[in-house]
């Protein structure tokens, strides 16, 4: 065997090592998928519990927490082992650190929900941060993929998981509005944004998924369930200030959207299984090729052809102007489809982050608006003012104190709560 063949065998061994790391990533994807699914259910049940002031979903919420805890143990074991496989990936290690901190904060969040010490919107935001961190771990782990077929599969599952999470946030948002009996403009806007964003994720998934995965996704989209969800969406998004919704619709919405998300979980499970099978097939094929003289000869021929292509491209430019350009061109030609796919996944992740930022801004506006409305109501009651007068009073006070209206509103609310406690 020639030195060139020995080098090709070494390259195959390196390829096998990379594929084995990818196989470990696939197992991580499956564990994160199952844990995120449990957290999404816990988040939805917690929203109904909080919005109903502990009148509904008390027992169901505890069931969801029990399921989440089981999944959490598995994910902690996986994340504890992951740094050994990602010692040179600083970004991934930082992601894991953030996830650990969020996991450690879960017991406090659950106690706050149990005692009604936190609002439904604030609880949703905390769950969202943890789930977002877990999905970011999937993305950063996928960013190490250097096989085009595996990368395509990772792109598909990553975007499906993102779409499913946005569907879970839609369930949480709808649960708040339907359980409260009304949707204000902020929640309606948030709902519309979530519907649009998740569809874009599923479109990207369909572009990169296998035929079997796309077909499975179509089979899981039950028409009757979709019709029921669509009808409730239309009721939620109708801009009618006088519209009062049946409080019982919160549970109807939860059941329908939960069934939809459970169906998505089945698709995720298939995607994770496909990904794992693909990695192991690649590993077996690489091991076989490493000891196959004909395959090694074919690999050597391909490598020589690539070098010839690079030289032809470099010759297209004046020699004096392209000493460095030639190297860049060679590097670009030698890169496989995976680089383009990773770039696409990164751009998609950036776009989804922008969507997430927009949603967070909407939630912040919602929180501020609720503070202002509550403070305005207190001013109207205690100062015997009309709504317009109370608004002008609050605005003037905020200007005099050099505070935003939301900050001034919170000051008034806190002061009123202190006075009530003293009177009691």
């Amino acid at each position: 065997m020639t030195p060139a063949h020995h080098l090709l065998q070494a390259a195959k061994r390196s390829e096998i090592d990379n594929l084995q790391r990818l196989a470990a990533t696939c197992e991580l994807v499956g564990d994160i998928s199952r844990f995120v699914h449990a957290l999404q259910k816990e988040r939805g049940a917690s929203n109904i519990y909080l919005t109903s002031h502990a009148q509904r979903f008390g027992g169901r919420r505890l069931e969801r927490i029990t399921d989440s805890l089981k999944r959490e143990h598995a994910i902690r074991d996986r994340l504890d082992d992951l740094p050994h496989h990602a010692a040179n990936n600083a970004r991934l290690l930082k992601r894991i650190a953030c996830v650990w901190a969020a996991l450690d904060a879960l017991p406090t969040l659950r106690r706050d929900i149990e005692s009604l010490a936190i609002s439904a919107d604030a609880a949703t935001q905390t769950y969202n941060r943890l789930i977002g961190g877990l999905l970011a771990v999937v993305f950063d782990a996928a960013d190490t993929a250097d096989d085009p077929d595996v990368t395509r599969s990772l792109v598909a599952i990553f975007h499906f998981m993102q779409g499913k999470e946005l569907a879970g946030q839609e369930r949480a948002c709808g649960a708040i509005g339907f359980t409260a009996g009304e949707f204000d403009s902020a929640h309606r806007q948030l709902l519309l944004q979530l519907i649009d964003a998740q569809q874009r994720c599923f479109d990207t998934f369909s572009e990169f998924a296998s035929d079997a995965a796309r077909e499975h996704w179509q089979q899981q989209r039950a028409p009757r369930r979709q019709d029921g969800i669509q009808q409730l969406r239309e009721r939620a998004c109708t801009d009618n200030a006088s519209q009062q919704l049946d409080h019982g619709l919160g549970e109807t919405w939860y059941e329908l959207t939960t069934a939809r998300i459970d169906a998505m979980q089945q698709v995720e499970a298939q995607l994770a299984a496909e990904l794992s099978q693909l990695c192991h097939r690649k590993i077996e094929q690489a091991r076989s090729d490493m000891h196959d003289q004909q395959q090694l000869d074919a690999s050597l021929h391909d490598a020589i052809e690539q070098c010839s292509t690079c030289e032809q491209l470099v010759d297209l430019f004046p020699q004096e102007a392209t000493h460095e350009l030639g190297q860049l061109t060679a590097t670009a030609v030698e890169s496989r489809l995976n680089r383009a796919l990773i770039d696409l996944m990164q751009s998609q992740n950036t776009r989804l982050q922008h969507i997430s930022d927009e949603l967070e801004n909407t939630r912040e506006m919602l929180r501020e608006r609720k503070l202002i409305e509550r403070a305005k109501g207190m001013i109207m009651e205690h100062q015997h003012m009309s709504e317009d007068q109370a608004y002008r009073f609050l605005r003037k006070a905020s200007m005099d104190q050099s505070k935003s209206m939301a900050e001034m509103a919170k000051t008034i609310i806190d002061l009123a709560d202190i006075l009530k406690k003293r009177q009691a």
Side-chain angles (χ1 to χ4, degrees), residues 287-311:
R287 285 173 175 164
S288 175
D289 291 347
M290 188 169 63
H291 302 290
D292 187 324
Q293 185 68 38
Q294 288 184 339
Q295 286 295 331
L296 290 176
D297 288 339
S299 296
L300 183 59
H301 180 267
D302 289 344
I304 293 172
E305 286 293 319
Q306 285 184 358
C307 290
S308 299
T309 303
C310 294
E311 291 172 1

Side-chain angles (χ1 to χ4, degrees), residues 265-282:
Q265 177 63 15
Q266 294 184 34
V267 178
E268 270 190 18
Q270 177 175 325
L271 290 170
E274 280 187 4
L275 187 58
S276 179
Q277 291 166 8
L278 177 61
C279 281
H280 286 97
R281 283 200 306 270
K282 294 272 186 181

Side-chain angles (χ1 to χ4, degrees), residues 47 50-51 118-128 172-173 176 184 187 190 360 363 366-367 370:
N47 275 338
L50 287 168
T51 308
I118 189 172
S119 69
D121 285 312
T124 296
Q125 181 184 356
T126 304
Y127 280 114
N128 292 354
C173 177
I176 293 173
D184 57 24
H187 277 103
L190 177 59
E360 178 54 32
R363 293 190 187 97
L366 171 65
R367 289 190 290 270
K370 286 185 174 181

